[in-house]
């Protein structure tokens, strides 16, 4: 087991030595005993002062840590409050603050980079541009959702993101429900119609090819007989 040796530990050890000094120096001369006693008291005082300084240093570090933690907490709270105000501009999506889009494959979200939120609070132009962009996200969301509904499609998820530079990007996935609900009979009928159309097209091509071959044969026959023939295909 490792043990951390601190100034408190050294101080207690030196003080214990000082209390038992009379026993430890019982066989010494008076002059040597005085010197030894002085050494013990000196280092005991130094250890005690070091312990006090150490406690003061730890207290100072604890105060700094508390101030930093409070500052971070206050800043996070300000960003959260600001994001809640911005969320009112796009009620059709879930507003988030972060540096990446969510990994979930459902829902409609809009994530804004916290660095951009900080900039918006100090740059009125950036704030207005980003607010206009958020309003645009709301408009596009409603418009596209209505378009999907009218064409038999369903949105599985759409995740939007505005990065630290104010640039917008979007990731989404759509499912064609109407196509999946198409009956087996209807799919077979469409397949049959396609096959019939292909067969008719092939038949017409064969017929035209035979007509062209017949015309060419007649032309060759008349040419051999010395008759001039005009061929029109």
């Amino acid at each position: 087991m490792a043990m951390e040796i601190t100034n408190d530990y050294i101080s207690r050890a030196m003080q214990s030595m000082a209390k038992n000094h009379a026993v430890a120096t019982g066989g010494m001369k008076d002059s040597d005993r005085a010197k030894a006693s002085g050494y013990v008291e000196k280092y005991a005082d130094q250890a005690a002062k070091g312990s006090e300084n150490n406690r003061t240093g730890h207290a100072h570090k604890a105060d700094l840590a508390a101030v930093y933690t409070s500052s971070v907490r206050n800043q996070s709270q300000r960003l959260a409050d600001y994001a809640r105000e911005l969320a009112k501009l796009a009620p059709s999506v879930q507003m988030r603050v972060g540096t990446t889009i969510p990994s979930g494959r459902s829902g409609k979200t809009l994530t804004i980079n916290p660095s951009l939120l900080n900039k918006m609070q100090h740059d009125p132009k950036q704030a207005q541009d980003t607010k206009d962009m958020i309003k645009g996200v709301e408009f596009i969301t409603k418009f596209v959702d209505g378009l999907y509904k009218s064409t038999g499609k369903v949105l599985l998820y759409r995740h939007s993101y505005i990065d630290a530079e104010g640039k917008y990007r979007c990731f989404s996935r759509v499912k064609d429900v109407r196509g999946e609900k198409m009956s087996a009979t209807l799919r077979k009928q469409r397949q049959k119609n396609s096959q019939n159309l292909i067969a008719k097209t092939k038949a017409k091509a064969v017929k035209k090819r035979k007509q062209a071959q017949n015309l060419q044969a007649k032309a060759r026959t008349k040419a051999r007989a010395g008759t001039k023939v005009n061929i029109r295909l």
Side-chain angles (χ1 to χ4, degrees):
M1 178 184 295
M3 179 177 179
E4 182 181 3
I5 304 300
T6 64
N7 286 335
D8 287 337
Y9 176 82
I10 296 174
S11 176
R12 288 194 297 269
M14 294 301 293
Q15 290 172 2
S16 177
M17 290 173 61
K19 291 180 180 179
N20 298 319
H21 175 65
V23 176
T25 59
M28 292 184 179
K29 296 180 180 180
D30 291 341
S31 58
D32 292 336
R33 187 182 297 110
K35 290 180 181 181
S37 179
Y39 290 147
V40 171
E41 293 177 358
K42 175 182 178 181
Y43 289 111
D45 290 341
Q46 290 179 353
K49 291 179 180 178
S51 177
E52 180 63 27
N53 292 336
N54 188 51
R55 284 194 296 271
T56 302
H58 283 305
H60 181 63
K61 290 179 181 179
D63 290 341
L64 291 178
V67 171
Y68 176 76
T69 302
S70 177
S71 176
V72 171
R73 187 181 298 110
N74 291 338
Q75 177 65 12
S76 299
Q77 186 61 45
R78 285 195 296 271
L79 290 181
D81 293 341
Y82 191 47
R84 276 192 288 270
E85 290 298 319
L86 296 176
K88 297 177 182 179
L89 302 176
S92 298
V93 298
Q94 178 188 1
M95 184 74 72
R96 301 174 66 256
V97 178
T99 56
T100 59
I101 63 172
S103 59
R105 293 295 179 261
S106 63
K108 293 177 284 188
T109 65
L110 173 59
T111 303
I112 302 180
N113 190 286
S115 297
L116 180 63
L117 291 178
N118 279 325
K119 184 177 180 181
M120 291 173 64
Q121 296 181 39
H122 301 88
D123 187 341
K125 184 178 183 306
Q126 182 65 66
Q128 188 59 49
D129 291 345
T130 304
K131 288 179 180 179
D132 291 341
M133 183 177 293
I134 295 174
K135 293 178 182 177
V137 171
E138 174 68 8
F139 173 79
I140 293 174
T141 298
K142 289 184 175 181
F143 175 78
V144 175
D145 286 351
L147 182 63
Y148 288 157
K149 185 177 181 180
S150 64
T151 56
K153 296 180 175 63
V154 173
L155 176 71
L156 298 180
Y157 65 86
R158 182 188 299 116
H159 298 316
S160 303
Y161 178 63
I162 303 179
D163 63 18
E165 297 179 358
K167 296 180 180 179
Y168 174 82
R169 56 180 61 89
C170 179
F171 307 88
S172 63
R173 185 179 179 184
V174 180
K175 184 177 182 180
D176 187 357
V177 178
R178 180 177 297 178
E180 292 184 355
K181 288 184 177 180
M182 185 183 299
S183 67
T185 302
L186 182 58
R187 285 198 295 270
K188 289 181 179 180
Q189 184 62 44
R190 288 188 176 183
Q191 184 178 7
K192 184 178 180 180
N193 293 340
S194 298
Q195 291 174 347
N196 291 339
L197 180 60
I198 293 173
K200 289 179 180 180
T201 303
K202 287 182 177 180
K204 288 182 179 180
V206 170
K207 184 178 180 179
K208 287 183 178 181
R209 185 167 59 252
K210 288 182 177 181
Q211 289 176 347
Q213 290 174 350
N214 291 335
L215 289 174
Q216 290 176 357
K218 289 180 180 180
R220 286 194 294 270
T221 301
K222 290 181 179 181
R224 293 191 193 99
T227 304
K228 186 176 180 181
V229 181
N230 290 326
I231 301 176
R232 297 180 63 185
L233 299 178

